[in-house]
Amino acid sequence: MKKGNENHRFIGSSQAVAEASWINYLNQQRINGYLCSVAMQDTNLENAIKSLEDTISTINKKIIITNRGGIKGQHGFIAEVAECGVENARNEIVGNNPSCKWINDNGPADILRDGIPIQQKFVNSGNHLSLQAIKKHYDTYPFFLNEGGKYQIPKDHYEKIKYLLSVPKEQANKLSTSTGDFSLRQWKEVHDFFDSGKIKLSDIEPSVLSYDEVQANQINKTIEKEKNAIKETDRTIREKEYNKSKPKLKEGLKVGAVSAAIEGGTSLVSEIAKRIKSGKSIRDFTGDDWADIVKSTTKGTVLGAVRGISIYELTNYTPSSAIVANSLVTVSFGIAQQIYMLHSGRVSKQEFVRNAELLCVEASVCTISSTIGQAVIPIPVIGAVIGNTVGLMVYNAVKDIHIEQSTLILQYLSEISKLEYNLNQEFSNHISELMKLYKEFFSVMENAFAIDYKEAFSGSIELARIVGVQEDSILTSVSDIDNYFLQ
């Protein structure tokens, strides 16, 4: 083989390996980003659920059991704690810090949210939509709003106030009150309240909860409902992150464009350099020279685009590493060229078979040497290129020394390549099975440590059976428990 062709082959092979390694790096960055986001979301979910569990614990221990506020006022204290817990959980599930703190000092504010004092009023008596309670507080603490404070009322009260404010006087006098949805007295009260100018609607905000949701007999259901909503939000976030991590058509086209530019540019420089080395200067290039240069550059550009997109597709939609995918594409190009030469009569059938075998062997050498190079020098692109270059040099040196020895080595390398592919397949299967078992394990653990004691008891029985506890040693009923502890 001529020295020029040898150098061109080395350059082409190293260039292809570099492209494959770069594509692999892009894929790995995308996957690493997804794994990091999932790990972070695990923490977000844990923090959000803990906030809700701490909230219901505080409500039960400090308010319901102690009967704080009595029959008429207990729900107001429940609302303060629940507001903080729910808002904090909603912030934490999306990765933000908790924003609310329950003040609990009987001062002018009940809640502090990001430095803003909030006075909460959950009053339904008299059907005043909590406005009279706000007026009473304002009369006692006229400085509250001027110091940046906010009033907060049940979200259903707030929506009713907005509706009544949207109804003009002419329409209000005509609306029927038979359904109970509209009260002219209430309409007048709301309009008079805000027409006074002391308190604006912007000084009031809705709570995340409605009046009924903070009652003592409903708060457990409210928090449980919020837990389910938090888990649904978590599922949506994870699904969004997964979709972001998936290979995209836009990224594939970008890879193809970059690969096309690299190989097209390399072909252009190579063709020009070849003519300059032959003694021609650029100004002496003929029309035929430029036609050949354009033809070679176009061919390189097309091959680069096809190579880039093919490697991107193979690495993302099949269990193939970038180096293996590059070898498959390179061999496909080579064999396609040999088929064309066979059909045009430029090579015989025997030569076709021999050339195809050599292409496969050389591709195997590139694959293994690039993989080893990347392992020894764990720097994206550089390790694979150095490994590929050294591997091809060793391969050609051994091949030139003794063809029989070269054949044995190539057979060995081919076997290693097949073994690597099989091991990759087996590893992928084991990972899939491990992830399946991992999900099953956490499902069992979640049932075993559920808040509901019935669900937890049933889950504990299931867990005991899974870990191998003998059936006659498992307590499966109340009588079994009594017999075990009372004997």
Side-chain angles (χ1 to χ4, degrees), residues 19-229:
E19 291 175 22
S21 299
W22 171 65
I23 293 170
N24 184 67
Y25 176 74
L26 291 179
N27 293 337
Q28 194 60 51
Q29 288 294 102
R30 193 176 63 248
I31 294 171
N32 289 344
Y34 171 67
L35 294 177
C36 288
S37 66
V38 168
M40 186 178 297
Q41 192 57 33
D42 288 340
T43 301
N44 294 343
L45 178 61
E46 181 181 352
N47 291 340
I49 295 298
K50 185 177 185 301
S51 289
L52 293 175
E53 290 176 348
D54 290 346
T55 296
I56 197 63
S57 176
T58 299
I59 290 173
N60 286 325
K61 292 179 181 178
K62 295 187 178 182
I63 300 175
I64 294 179
I65 293 178
T66 61
N67 195 29
R68 185 174 180 183
I71 296 176
K72 293 184 178 180
Q74 188 178 83
H75 71 277
F77 291 104
I78 293 174
E80 295 170 9
V81 180
E83 179 74 23
C84 292
V86 171
E87 278 210 41
N88 287 341
R90 291 181 182 182
N91 280 326
E92 288 171 314
I93 194 60
V94 295
N96 296 329
N97 293 324
S99 59
C100 289
K101 179 183 178 182
W102 184 36
I103 298 177
N104 192 27
D105 63 358
N106 294 320
D110 299 320
I111 297 170
L112 193 65
R113 184 186 64 214
D114 291 331
I116 299 174
I118 296 173
Q119 170 61 217
Q120 201 179 63
K121 292 300 179 185
F122 270 63
V123 180
N124 207 36
S125 61
N127 206 19
H128 299 300
L129 301 175
S130 300
L131 292 179
Q132 292 305 314
I134 290 177
K135 183 178 183 302
K136 183 177 180 181
H137 181 274
Y138 180 81
D139 291 339
T140 306
Y141 302 101
F143 57 85
F144 181 70
L145 292 177
N146 292 332
E147 293 183 352
K150 277 274 189 180
Y151 287 110
Q152 190 179 89
I153 61 177
K155 65 179 181 181
D156 51 329
H157 286 191
Y158 185 83
E159 291 301 321
K160 186 66 176 292
I161 289 172
K162 285 182 62 179
Y163 163 67
L164 292 172
L165 288 175
S166 69
V167 177
K169 183 176 181 179
E170 297 77 13
Q171 184 180 352
N173 292 326
K174 299 177 182 178
L175 287 175
S176 171
T177 61
S178 60
T179 62
D181 294 334
F182 180 83
S183 164
L184 186 59
R185 180 198 63 78
Q186 194 177 58
W187 179 89
K188 290 179 179 179
E189 180 181 352
V190 169
H191 279 262
D192 289 343
F193 180 88
F194 290 103
D195 288 343
S196 68
K198 294 181 179 180
I199 301 174
K200 303 184 290 294
L201 183 62
S202 59
D203 296 324
I204 304 174
E205 67 177 24
S207 166
V208 296
L209 301 171
S210 65
Y211 182 83
D212 291 340
E213 288 177 319
V214 300
Q215 304 305 309
N217 62 349
Q218 289 294 321
I219 190 61
N220 283 285
K221 292 181 180 179
T222 299
I223 297 299
E224 195 61 34
K225 178 182 176 182
E226 188 63 28
K227 279 186 182 180
N228 293 333

Side-chain angles (χ1 to χ4, degrees), residues 193-333:
F193 180 88
F194 290 103
D195 288 343
S196 68
K198 294 181 179 180
I199 301 174
K200 303 184 290 294
L201 183 62
S202 59
D203 296 324
I204 304 174
E205 67 177 24
S207 166
V208 296
L209 301 171
S210 65
Y211 182 83
D212 291 340
E213 288 177 319
V214 300
Q215 304 305 309
N217 62 349
Q218 289 294 321
I219 190 61
N220 283 285
K221 292 181 180 179
T222 299
I223 297 299
E224 195 61 34
K225 178 182 176 182
E226 188 63 28
K227 279 186 182 180
N228 293 333
I230 287 293
K231 291 177 181 178
E232 180 61 24
T233 300
D234 175 71
R235 185 195 66 77
T236 301
I237 292 173
R238 291 175 190 271
E239 184 176 339
K240 181 180 179 181
E241 291 298 324
Y242 172 72
N243 289 332
K244 283 172 58 178
S245 72
K246 290 164 65 174
K248 305 289 192 304
L249 174 61
K250 183 177 180 180
E251 186 178 43
L253 294 176
K254 177 183 176 182
V255 166
V258 173
S259 297
I262 291 174
E263 297 204 24
T266 301
S267 298
L268 173 65
V269 172
S270 177
E271 287 296 319
I272 293 176
K274 182 171 67 175
R275 283 163 174 76
I276 291 176
K277 286 181 180 180
S278 68
K280 280 186 176 183
S281 63
I282 295 180
R283 64 174 177 271
D284 294 329
F285 286 2
T286 65
D288 292 337
D289 289 327
W290 285 114
D292 290 340
I293 291 172
V294 170
K295 180 179 178 182
S296 179
T297 302
T298 303
K299 178 181 177 183
T301 301
V302 173
L303 290 178
V306 173
R307 185 194 304 277
I309 294 174
S310 298
I311 293 175
Y312 185 82
E313 296 295 320
L314 286 170
T315 53
N316 284 292
Y317 297 104
T318 66
S320 301
S321 68
I323 302 299
V324 172
N326 173 60
S327 296
L328 291 173
V329 174
T330 301
V331 169
S332 299
F333 286 165

Side-chain angles (χ1 to χ4, degrees), residues 335-354:
I335 292 180
Q337 184 181 31
Q338 291 298 314
I339 292 174
Y340 170 77
M341 295 174 69
L342 175 64
H343 288 169
S344 62
R346 297 167 62 183
V347 296
S348 64
K349 291 183 179 180
Q350 291 77 11
E351 290 174 325
F352 168 78
V353 172
R354 184 176 69 252

